[in-house]
Amino acid sequence: GLKRGTPDVQERAAAVSRPIPIVEEPASKAEPGRYVERSVPRLIRWLLSLLDAVGVPTSGLLRRLRGARYSGRPPACEPDGPAIVMCGTVFPGDARTYLVLPFEVKDGSTRLEVEYGYAPLRPSLPANRLTQTILDLGLWDEQGYRSAKGFRGWSGSRHDKVILEACRATRCYRPDPINAGVWHVELGIAAVGPTGAEWKVRVRARSVRTTRTRVRYPVERDHVANPSARWYHGDFHMHSWHSNPHGPTRQRFIEYARQAELDFLPVTEYVVGVHWDEYGRLQEQFPELLIWPGREIVTYFGHMQCIGETWGFIEYRHGFEDVTVREIQRAVREAKALFQVNHPTTFGGPLFRNLCRGCAFELGDEIDWREVDTIEILNGSVVVQRKLPLRKGSVEFENPFMTSAIEFWEDLLNSGFRVTAVCGSDFKKGKGLGSCTTAVWADELSRRALTDAIRDGRAYVRTRGVKASPELDMTATTADGETGTFGSQFVVPADDQVQVTISVRGGGGQSLRVIRNGAEALVVKIPYDDFRHTFTASRASDEGSFGTWYRVETFDHRSRTTVGNPIFLTDETAPSPAATPPSPRRRGRLRRNVSAARALRSLPQGVSS
């Protein structure tokens, strides 16, 4: 009789952290046991839960009172037999943790049905987005809940019921035979309301006849969509049907991408990789496009992206048992994929954690930044509109998370990490895909060429998409004739100068900003659409051991319109950075203005043409 909550459509995906402490049975037991817990009197659990929600450390006492453990044999599902039911409670101290529930599937089962629900423990406070409980659902088969082959799927909190058969399955889940053995339901305790919640899981096995077989159409890994060297455009954060039941079908996904004039399409579904086997026909139908399956790795402490040939499984449960973000990074590298940090500064802090579970990046001190290829400096629309309270009309302003994300990225650059800035629309329902794009200069339109170009930093962000953003280019030339562009590194003496020419097309009436080491160095007007500006760059006297970097961006009265990746001027003896930089700073306006004034004095005035 439990009814599931209704979390915000955009922010359902979340994983978990450490497991709930459970008393294990002695190691001599051959089988994992049934999950059980003791009942706690309502008044006691209600008071302790409220205290836990306001910061009083009572979660440990609640766990001891519950006495959660695995005991005896796991419940067994007989084909066409009665459903098995597992139930329990969660409290605020359990948030951002994981619970795995074992059950046994008997021989003869060909169909598995898993249902679940949850509701606040009463008396409860009025439900809203800040006090909601969210539990996410995943499923692992007889090969184990830590086995890549055992992962059958994850649907977040979007489905009350999932069905698996050999030839078909609910969205997000992998169709394959239902083999006998011990399976596991995974409950991700994404968020818990202040009074706690109760949950119930129901599993039923059936023996239905199936005659169809699963048909797979994998995307060709080595497809070359265009052999020419040029600028190619892509959206680095795109979701489809496996991320949202109301999301676009595969065909509609391609249509939206073509309307946005995208060349490469990273299909970054939540956690799962089943879509790798589904886009092959569309790749053959649209050979001029490059379909690039990937996944968004959602944890409760930050979302990351794996873009590449990752159809199998990439761990996403940072903090669960011995899973760490560095283990996740290693798996992405082994898959020869790009590793990206998504929306690093979105909805941070405990107050807003329920609005977007795990969206703000909290793993800065645990991740190896040397193994990060890209960072999302813009997520969603660059211009945000909000209605004015008690008045007609609305106000629009630049997405505030872009400024904080750029500052986060600049602090990484200042610490010596060459992380390429990209953007992603992150739209779940199709319309809006490509609303912001990243332009990449690649030798050809292929995964290999794009991966090399992105890791080299040969890219810039067009914040309003292909159609509404200016085109940007950068050419740097040293005194000895060496040339380069976005992402290039030049080893130059401290007294040498580098000539940098910026070309802007379609930006008449906007402004060009030059930034050095995170400080505004120069702003010039762009009087007409085909505009060029040249300035002299040199290494700063206070650059530190990692050199000096310059980047450019364009903007108008509404927002930034392009953001370029930097060039680097370094000493050849510059050391490699440590794996973890200092915590990113939040630079205030006064500090930025003082830094800009200092930089402006030492930067020669440019020449426009």
Side-chain angles (χ1 to χ4, degrees):
L2 301 182
K3 293 187 177 180
R4 185 169 59 83
T6 55
D8 179 70
V9 169
Q10 184 175 351
E11 309 301 347
R12 311 243 186 163
V16 293
S17 175
R18 61 197 185 281
I20 296 177
I22 293 176
V23 178
E24 298 280 358
E25 290 296 306
S28 59
K29 285 196 174 285
E31 299 286 351
R34 177 190 298 265
Y35 174 80
V36 295
E37 62 178 58
R38 291 192 298 265
S39 175
V40 180
R42 175 182 295 185
L43 180 60
I44 293 177
R45 74 188 184 196
W46 189 77
L47 290 173
L48 292 177
S49 183
L50 283 179
L51 289 172
D52 194 20
V54 298
V56 179
T58 61
S59 56
L61 177 58
L62 274 168
R63 291 194 184 104
R64 287 193 294 273
L65 291 174
R66 272 187 295 171
R69 68 190 187 281
Y70 294 131
S71 177
R73 293 179 61 86
C77 280
E78 297 283 353
D80 300 320
I84 63 169
V85 177
M86 297 171 279
C87 54
T89 54
V90 290
F91 295 96
D94 300 324
R96 309 209 289 177
T97 66
Y98 231 0
L99 183 61
V100 289
L101 306 171
F103 64 96
E104 187 177 1
V105 176
K106 294 295 188 178
D107 281 325
S109 301
T110 60
R111 174 185 174 121
L112 205 62
E113 301 172 358
V114 180
E115 299 178 78
Y116 85 123
Y118 48 90
L121 286 166
R122 298 187 181 280
S124 61
L125 300 181
N128 56 55
R129 294 177 65 191
L130 295 179
T131 63
Q132 63 187 343
T133 294
I134 303 295
L135 302 186
D136 296 328
L137 181 68
L139 190 63
W140 301 76
D141 66 22
E142 82 285 353
Q143 298 178 84
Y145 67 88
R146 289 298 301 273
S147 166
K149 294 181 179 179
F151 180 63
R152 294 301 287 265
W154 181 90
S155 51
S157 57
R158 292 191 182 276
H159 289 297
D160 297 321
K161 181 177 182 178
V162 300
I163 299 174
L164 276 77
E165 294 180 5
C167 60
R168 65 189 182 98
T170 300
R171 181 193 67 89
C172 305
Y173 290 84
R174 171 168 56 90
D176 261 337
I178 308 301
N179 296 323
V182 176
W183 292 48
H184 290 83
V185 169
E186 166 190 306
L187 285 184
I189 306 173
V192 182
T195 62
E198 55 183 334
W199 55 264
K200 183 182 293 184
V201 175
R202 182 182 291 107
V203 183
R204 186 187 300 272
R206 299 189 184 275
S207 59
V208 298
R209 293 185 62 183
T210 57
T211 56
R212 295 184 300 167
T213 58
R214 182 187 178 197
V215 180
R216 300 180 178 181
Y217 295 100
V219 179
E220 182 187 346
R221 181 188 182 96
D222 299 320
H223 176 66
V224 178
N226 190 323
S228 302
R230 48 162 283 198
W231 288 108
Y232 294 105
H233 293 88
D235 179 342
F236 276 76
H237 196 158
M238 295 199 289
H239 292 285
S240 184
W241 183 64
H242 286 294
S243 294
N244 190 311
H246 304 293
T249 62
R250 293 183 291 276
Q251 187 73 36
R252 291 291 290 163
F253 180 88
I254 298 297
E255 290 176 8
Y256 286 128
R258 295 184 73 196
Q259 291 170 10
E261 300 183 7
L262 300 180
D263 301 304
F264 60 93
L265 318 179
V267 192
T268 52
E269 303 285 43
Y270 289 135
V271 174
V272 300
V274 292
H275 54 297
W276 179 87
D277 281 336
E278 300 174 346
Y279 275 88
R281 278 186 171 176
L282 286 171
Q283 180 69 92
E284 295 173 359
Q285 186 178 349
F286 300 98
E288 75 282 3
L289 299 178
L290 186 75
I291 300 177
W292 203 0
R295 75 189 72 207
E296 184 170 12
I297 305 166
V298 290
T299 82
Y300 274 147
F301 301 91
H303 292 188
M304 295 156 282
Q305 206 96 296
C306 172
I307 302 175
E309 201 71 11
T310 57
W311 66 271
F313 175 71
I314 296 293
E315 184 61 80
Y316 56 94
R317 298 168 293 179
H318 168 79
F320 175 65
E321 296 185 346
D322 61 345
V323 178
T324 66
V325 66
R326 295 203 181 193
E327 177 188 336
I328 296 171
Q329 286 182 286
R330 284 193 295 271
V332 173
R333 284 297 190 202
E334 290 173 1
K336 299 181 180 179
L338 291 171
F339 185 90
Q340 175 174 310
V341 171
N342 288 350
H343 40 70
T345 58
T346 302
F347 291 111
L351 178 62
F352 297 104
R353 199 168 276 156
N354 277 18
L355 295 178
C356 186
R357 272 80 62 200
C359 290
F361 196 74
E362 302 177 30
L363 299 172
D365 293 334
E366 300 180 56
I367 199 170
D368 186 345
W369 287 102
R370 296 170 300 186
E371 297 296 323
V372 176
D373 297 304
T374 56
I375 188 168
E376 194 175 56
I377 61 166
L378 172 60
N379 176 267
S381 300
V382 67
V383 176
V384 180
Q385 289 187 336
R386 289 292 182 267
K387 291 184 178 180
L388 293 171
L390 306 178
R391 295 183 183 181
K392 294 182 179 180
S394 61
V395 61
E396 64 176 24
F397 49 90
E398 184 181 84
N399 186 331
F401 295 127
M402 181 167 69
T403 295
S404 56
I406 287 176
E407 291 184 353
F408 190 106
W409 170 53
E410 289 178 339
D411 285 329
L412 291 175
L413 296 174
N414 285 334
S415 297
F417 296 96
R418 308 294 171 79
V419 182
T420 301
V422 298
C423 69
S425 65
D426 200 10
F427 281 87
K428 310 298 189 300
K429 296 185 178 180
K431 292 184 178 179
L433 293 177
S435 59
C436 65
T437 60
T438 302
V440 180
W441 180 269
D443 296 334
E444 62 182 17
L445 185 53
S446 68
R447 297 184 189 184
R448 178 202 58 78
L450 287 173
T451 298
D452 291 344
I454 292 163
R455 285 178 174 159
D456 288 343
R458 300 197 302 269
Y460 70 95
V461 170
R462 304 180 73 175
T463 66
R464 298 177 188 171
V466 176
K467 300 176 182 179
S469 304
E471 297 177 47
L472 186 65
D473 207 347
M474 170 188 274
T475 302
T477 307
T478 65
D480 59 4
E482 181 183 0
T483 63
T485 183
F486 302 106
S488 294
Q489 176 179 339
F490 301 95
V491 177
V492 296
D495 56 350
D496 270 20
Q497 295 183 337
V498 177
Q499 296 298 311
V500 183
T501 298
I502 307 300
S503 299
V504 183
R505 288 170 291 280
Q510 300 184 21
S511 298
L512 172 69
R513 178 184 289 126
V514 177
I515 295 172
R516 182 176 66 173
N517 289 353
E520 183 181 282
L522 181 67
V523 174
V524 296
K525 290 291 185 181
I526 303 175
Y528 37 81
D529 280 346
D530 193 359
F531 175 76
R532 300 184 71 190
H533 178 79
T534 299
F535 67 91
T536 301
S538 60
R539 288 172 50 198
S541 58
D542 57 348
E543 65 180 357
S545 59
F546 299 115
T548 300
W549 57 264
Y550 289 81
R551 71 173 186 86
V552 296
E553 60 188 27
T554 59
F555 63 96
D556 60 16
H557 68 284
R558 300 174 67 206
S559 71
R560 295 173 177 90
T561 55
T562 64
V563 178
N565 278 282
I567 60 169
F568 301 89
L569 311 182
T570 65
D571 184 340
E572 60 183 353
T573 61
S576 298
T580 304
S583 298
R585 300 179 298 278
R586 294 292 174 264
R587 294 190 288 271
R589 180 177 299 176
L590 176 60
R591 181 177 178 271
R592 288 182 64 88
N593 290 342
V594 170
S595 299
R598 290 175 176 172
L600 185 60
R601 287 200 302 269
S602 60
L603 182 68
Q605 182 67 26
V607 178
S608 301
S609 62

